[in-house]
Amino acid sequence: MKQREGRPGQKKTSGPSGESRRDDRAGRPPKPVARPAATREAVPAAVARPLMTRSGGRPTERVPVILESLGAGDFHLIDSGNGEKLEQYGPYRIIRPEAQALWRPSLPAHIWEKVDAAFTGDTDEEGTGRWRFPKEALGETWPLNLLGVDFLGRFTSFRHVGVFPEQIVHWSWMKDQVEKAGRPLKVLNLFGYTGVASLVAAAAGAEVTHVDASKKAIGWARENQALGRMEKLPIRWICEDAMKFILREERRGSQYDIILTDPPKFGRGPNGEVWHLFEHLPLMLDVCREILSPKAVGLVLTAYSIRASFYSIHELMRETMRGAGGVVESGELVIREAGADGKTPGRALSTSLFSRWVPK
C-alpha cells in the first residue's frame, strides 16, 4: 500500500504512538537511531500486559470491501500516472509523488503544467523534500473544508498537506453514527494527527478524546479548531504515547463507543520505546477491545505502508472481537479520479488497508 510521510517538524526518533507514523509513506522507514545503553528501555512499552484469552465465535465477515471516495468538499483527485498524482485542494492544484500510479496520465500535459505547487526532492528520506511553486510563491497554510469542518492545509517537507482525504469514508460513517445515535457518543481518535476527524465527530455531537504524541500535531489540531470557531466543542486534546494512554484508560475502566486507530508501521519513542506494527498491533487492538463500551458502534483500523494483504488485519480483527458478535468488514480505501471538473470518474487509486468491526 501507499507510503505515508512524516509529519511536519518531527524528528526520526519520534515515538510509537504515531509521531513518526507518516514517514513510511515517503519511502523506506527511518533508520533506527542508536542510543546509549543507559537511556534505552529494556522492554518496549507495547508489551505491558499479555493478550486476553478470547472465547466464543468470531464475528461474521464481509470481504473484500472497497471503500471509495470521489472527493469531497475542497478536495478531489484530478488525474494520476507516471508515479505522480494531480490533486485539487481548495484553490490550489498540486502534484505529489505516487508510487502506485503505474499507468500513464489520462489528461494532457498542459493540464499538469498549470499547477500551483509540486513536491520535489528526495522522497526516500524523511522531511527532505521541497515544494516548487511555478506561478508564484505561496504561503505555508491555506484554508480548506471537508464535511463542513474548516481546517488548514499546509505545505510540509514530508509531501503531505495535513489531511488524508481517503479517510473521509470513515469520517462520513462516523458522522452518521454519531448523528443517529440519539445519545452523545464517546469517540477516541488514536494517532489523531491534525484533528480533522476529531472535529468532524465533535461537530456531529460526540464527546471526543484526541490522542497524538506530537506536540506540533496537537498544536496544528488546536489551530484547526480555532479556525472553525469550534473551541466550545467537547474535545480533549491529549499529547501522549497512544499505547500508554489506552493501557491507562483500561486500568481506569474508561470506555468509548467509537475508536479510530491509525498506527504507524514503525516508530521510536522519546524514551527509547520501539513500535513495530506486526509485533505490537495485536496488543493495541486487544486493549481497544477492552475499552469499547457495551453499546459500542465501531472499531476502525487503518494500515498504511505494510507488505501484507488486508486479510492479515482482517483475521486479527476477527480474533480480537471473538465473542462480541457483529461483523468485521475489511478491504481497501481508494480514491477515484474525478477529472479537471471534479465530476468525471476515472481510475481508482489504492491508498491503504482497513478493517472495521461493527456490532451488526
Side-chain angles (χ1 to χ4, degrees):
M1 292 297 98
K2 183 168 73 171
Q3 308 267 354
R4 266 197 162 173
E5 317 94 344
R7 292 172 175 173
Q10 291 176 316
K11 299 179 181 180
K12 293 184 181 181
T13 56
S14 53
S17 58
E19 45 277 49
S20 84
R21 57 193 289 261
R22 310 292 173 181
D23 53 272
D24 291 332
R25 228 172 152 183
R28 58 182 177 270
K31 297 178 180 179
V33 178
R35 296 174 181 269
T39 63
R40 185 183 299 132
E41 287 194 353
V43 180
V47 292
R49 71 154 174 80
L51 293 174
M52 295 287 187
T53 299
R54 306 290 178 187
S55 61
R58 298 192 299 166
T60 58
E61 60 183 329
R62 189 178 297 128
V63 290
V65 176
I66 306 300
L67 297 183
E68 176 183 311
S69 170
L70 189 63
D74 289 341
F75 166 82
H76 70 270
L77 175 64
I78 300 172
D79 194 16
S80 61
N82 293 340
E84 294 183 318
K85 57 187 174 183
L86 176 63
E87 304 165 291
Q88 189 79 41
Y89 281 96
Y92 299 145
R93 286 191 176 182
I94 294 171
I95 293 176
R96 295 191 293 162
E98 178 45 69
Q100 293 202 86
L102 304 175
W103 43 84
R104 293 181 180 180
S106 296
L107 298 178
H110 70 84
I111 299 293
W112 283 74
E113 292 168 358
K114 295 179 181 179
V115 297
D116 299 285
F119 188 86
T120 62
D122 184 358
T123 60
D124 284 339
E125 294 296 336
E126 181 186 0
T128 59
R130 301 286 187 275
W131 286 94
R132 177 174 58 87
F133 303 107
K135 296 179 180 178
E136 60 180 343
L138 300 176
E140 181 187 6
T141 64
W142 73 99
L144 291 170
N145 182 285
L146 283 177
L147 295 180
V149 168
D150 294 320
F151 62 98
L152 292 174
R154 179 174 267 121
F155 294 112
T156 76
S157 59
F158 305 88
R159 86 180 177 184
H160 64 77
V161 294
V163 64
F164 297 92
E166 62 269 18
Q167 294 277 350
I168 197 169
V169 291
H170 288 324
W171 302 343
S172 296
W173 169 84
M174 174 182 63
K175 181 175 184 290
D176 180 62
Q177 298 301 312
V178 172
E179 289 176 342
K180 71 182 185 183
R183 61 186 175 92
L185 296 186
K186 295 184 66 176
V187 173
L188 174 60
N189 186 14
L190 292 175
F191 319 101
Y193 193 38
T194 60
V196 180
S198 297
L199 294 172
V200 169
E207 299 174 3
V208 181
T209 300
H210 172 110
V211 180
D212 197 287
S214 166
K215 291 182 180 179
K216 287 184 178 293
I218 293 290
W220 191 347
R222 287 183 173 275
E223 197 175 357
N224 287 336
Q225 184 182 29
L227 179 68
R229 297 182 175 87
M230 303 172 78
E231 293 94 338
K232 294 184 179 180
L233 291 179
I235 304 176
R236 289 195 300 158
W237 303 104
I238 308 294
C239 185
E240 189 177 359
D241 177 277
M243 182 65 81
K244 290 181 178 178
F245 176 81
I246 61 174
L247 285 166
R248 189 171 65 253
E249 289 292 88
E250 181 185 29
R251 293 192 295 269
R252 290 174 172 172
S254 300
Q255 294 182 328
Y256 298 89
D257 300 299
I258 296 176
I259 300 178
L260 304 179
T261 181
D262 184 10
K265 175 183 176 182
F266 171 84
R268 187 181 292 276
N271 296 315
E273 308 97 329
V274 175
W275 165 274
H276 288 287
L277 184 73
F278 288 104
E279 295 178 26
H280 302 140
L281 181 60
L283 178 59
M284 171 161 284
L285 281 184
D286 199 53
V287 178
C288 286
R289 160 80 187 266
E290 290 302 300
I291 61 176
L292 282 174
S293 74
K295 296 183 178 179
V297 297
L299 169 59
V300 181
L301 167 67
T302 308
Y304 288 80
S305 183
I306 62 173
R307 294 181 179 179
S309 164
F310 71 84
Y311 266 110
S312 60
I313 60 174
H314 173 72
E315 296 295 2
L316 174 61
M317 182 70 81
R318 292 186 74 204
E319 286 296 327
T320 300
M321 301 307 296
R322 184 183 285 275
V327 180
V328 171
E329 49 190 15
S330 308
E332 296 192 25
L333 303 184
V334 304
I335 297 179
R336 190 165 295 278
E337 297 168 348
D341 61 359
K343 301 176 181 179
T344 306
R347 296 162 300 205
L349 184 64
S350 177
T351 64
S352 59
L353 310 179
F354 84 94
S355 185
R356 180 169 68 191
W357 171 84
V358 293
K360 60 180 179 180

